[in-house]
């Protein structure tokens, strides 16, 4: 077993211990406050904990298999997220070719390019070539009703669900002096910091939240919850500096940036849901909605984190 696999197992063991404690607390709260399932806060907490168990097991198992495991896991997540996104768009028969191209050409090609580490192409495949391909394919079908809106929806779906998400396994391709063979820990660091920020913002919001940030987009998000959660997650990231090639201060600064991007990503995705008139992107994960509901904060933070790490080392 390699050193990075041992470090990853230590991290997973720590997360498992936290989830065991959270499960026990949730069980006690349910027995005392919600024996009939009537307390929404307690039930939501237990649903979140149960979903976290599933996600940690799936992600931990995939990451232990290295680059191929990560590519397959996030490739599947992109496919599921793209399906959820497209389900909420106003597609017509004339969009079928474009959608087929998105699912069965652009998506697998993007992840293949990440796998072979062709940065020069996977960094522009979606925002350049796919953005040009989608309207061409749709125009060939001759359906002009709401053409611009329909094309933009497919382009945005690819950008969100494929391009941004693919930057998570792309972290494995980075060449960092003195950090060889440990890149899997960068993925774990990104996911733990961003997801812990979501949880901590929820907890702080329930404890002291008063001032709504964007009540029309996400009524549960408060200034107090955001500040408390962001600062707490930044401290978590600084404490996990050993997973990265950075010092505690550098890890804390990076954590603060990705926490901010994760928060803004959540707001943007909430705005899209409100525009579509839905509460969740899907119902695959109890207590967490669909794949996009779990990935919304990672979506915006992943490419930022990738490029900060990539160019940090090229400039030093």
């Amino acid at each position: 077993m390699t050193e990075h696999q041992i470090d990853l197992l230590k991290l997973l063991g720590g997360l498992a211990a936290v989830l065991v404690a959270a499960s026990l607390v949730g069980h006690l709260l349910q027995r005392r406050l919600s024996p009939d399932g009537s307390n929404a806060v307690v039930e939501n907490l237990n649903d979140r904990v149960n979903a976290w168990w599933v996600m940690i097991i799936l992600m931990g198992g995939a990451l232990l298999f290295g680059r191929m495991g990560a590519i397959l896991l996030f490739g599947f997540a992109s496919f599921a997220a793209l399906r959820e996104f497209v389900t909420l768009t106003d597609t017509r028969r004339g969009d079928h070719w474009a959608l087929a191209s998105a699912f069965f050409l652009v998506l697998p090609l993007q992840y293949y390019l990440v796998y072979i580490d062709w940065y020069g192409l996977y960094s522009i495949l979606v925002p350049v070539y796919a953005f040009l391909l989608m309207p061409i394919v749709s125009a060939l079908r001759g359906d002009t009703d709401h053409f611009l809106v329909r094309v933009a929806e497919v382009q945005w779906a690819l950008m969100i669900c494929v391009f941004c998400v693919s930057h998570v396994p792309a972290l494995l391709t980075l060449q960092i002096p003195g950090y060889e063979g440990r890149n899997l820990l960068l993925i774990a660091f990104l996911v733990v910091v961003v997801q812990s920020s979501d949880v901590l913002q929820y907890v702080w919001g329930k404890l002291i939240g008063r001032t709504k940030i964007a009540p029309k987009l996400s009524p549960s998000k408060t200034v107090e919850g955001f500040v408390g959660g962001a600062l707490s997650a930044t401290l978590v990231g600084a404490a996990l500096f050993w997973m990265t090639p950075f010092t505690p201060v550098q890890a804390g600064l990076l954590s603060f940036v990705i926490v901010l991007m994760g928060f803004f990503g959540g707001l943007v995705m909430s705005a899209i849901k409100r525009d579509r008139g839905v509460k969740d992107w899907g119902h695959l994960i109890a207590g967490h909605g669909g794949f996009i509901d779990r990935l919304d904060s990672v979506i915006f933070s992943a490419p930022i984190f990738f490029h900060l790490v990539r160019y940090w080392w090229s400039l030093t």
Side-chain angles (χ1 to χ4, degrees):
M1 184 173 291
T2 62
E3 182 181 354
H4 80 269
Q5 288 177 319
I6 294 175
D7 289 338
L8 187 59
L9 285 175
K10 290 179 181 178
L11 175 66
L12 293 174
L15 291 174
V18 172
L19 287 177
V20 167
S23 297
L24 291 175
V25 170
H27 178 69
L28 292 175
L29 289 175
Q30 186 174 39
R31 290 187 61 181
R32 287 191 173 190
L33 304 177
S34 183
D36 57 352
S38 59
N39 191 310
V41 174
V42 173
E43 297 305 314
N44 182 274
L45 173 64
N46 286 328
D47 283 340
R48 285 172 177 265
V49 173
N50 292 335
W52 261 96
W53 273 113
V54 176
M55 288 188 289
I56 291 298
I57 292 172
L58 289 177
M59 184 169 295
L63 293 182
L64 287 174
F65 283 98
R67 180 182 293 193
M68 179 58 73
I71 291 288
L72 292 176
L73 173 65
F74 287 98
F76 172 75
S78 280
F79 186 93
L82 186 60
R83 180 179 176 275
E84 289 177 351
F85 198 111
V86 169
T87 300
L88 297 183
T89 60
D90 299 318
T91 56
R92 297 165 58 90
R93 183 180 296 273
D95 300 315
H96 290 179
W97 287 3
L99 292 175
S101 300
F103 277 97
F104 303 112
L105 175 62
V106 178
L107 189 155
L109 181 57
Q110 174 74 6
Y111 277 90
Y112 173 72
L113 294 173
V114 170
Y115 179 75
I116 65 175
D117 191 16
W118 192 347
Y119 173 78
L121 189 51
Y122 77 67
S123 62
I124 62 172
L125 177 68
V126 173
V128 177
Y129 295 109
F131 263 54
L132 296 175
L133 176 65
M134 293 301 106
I136 291 173
V137 174
S138 293
L140 289 173
R141 297 303 302 271
D143 187 349
T144 60
D145 288 345
H146 303 290
F147 179 83
L148 182 59
V149 173
R150 288 163 32 223
V151 169
E153 287 177 339
V154 178
Q155 290 172 325
W156 187 236
L158 280 173
M159 192 70 181
I160 288 293
C161 303
V162 179
F163 180 77
C164 289
V165 176
S166 69
H167 279 76
V168 180
L171 289 166
L172 300 178
T173 67
L174 296 178
Q175 303 296 321
I176 302 175
Y179 195 72
E180 293 82 359
R182 303 187 69 210
N183 290 43
L184 279 172
L185 294 178
L186 287 175
I187 295 180
F189 178 83
L190 169 66
V191 174
V192 169
V193 170
V194 173
Q195 293 295 321
S196 67
S197 176
D198 283 351
V199 174
L200 290 168
Q201 287 180 41
Y202 175 80
V203 172
W204 280 106
K206 289 298 180 182
L207 291 175
I208 61 173
R210 295 291 183 274
T211 310
K212 305 290 185 182
I213 292 180
K216 290 185 178 180
L217 298 183
S218 186
S220 63
K221 294 186 185 297
T222 63
V223 173
E224 297 83 0
F226 165 66
V227 173
L231 293 179
S232 300
T234 298
L235 293 176
V236 170
L240 294 176
F241 77 95
W242 57 269
M243 298 171 58
T244 75
F246 306 110
T247 65
V249 173
Q250 292 169 338
L253 289 174
L254 283 173
S255 297
F256 184 69
V257 173
I258 60 178
V259 164
L260 283 180
M261 293 308 301
F263 174 78
F264 291 134
L267 280 184
V268 170
M269 301 312 291
S270 292
I272 297 175
K273 286 190 293 184
R274 297 299 175 265
D275 176 66
R276 299 287 89 182
V278 297
K279 181 178 181 295
D280 295 315
W281 287 96
H283 305 283
L284 184 63
I285 309 173
H288 287 262
F291 271 91
I292 300 181
D293 292 293
R294 281 300 84 216
L295 291 173
D296 57 2
S297 54
V298 176
I299 285 169
F300 276 50
S301 58
I304 301 300
F305 182 66
F306 173 86
H307 286 99
L308 284 175
V309 175
R310 176 183 174 87
Y311 292 110
W312 187 299
W313 292 104
S314 66
L315 296 174
T316 57

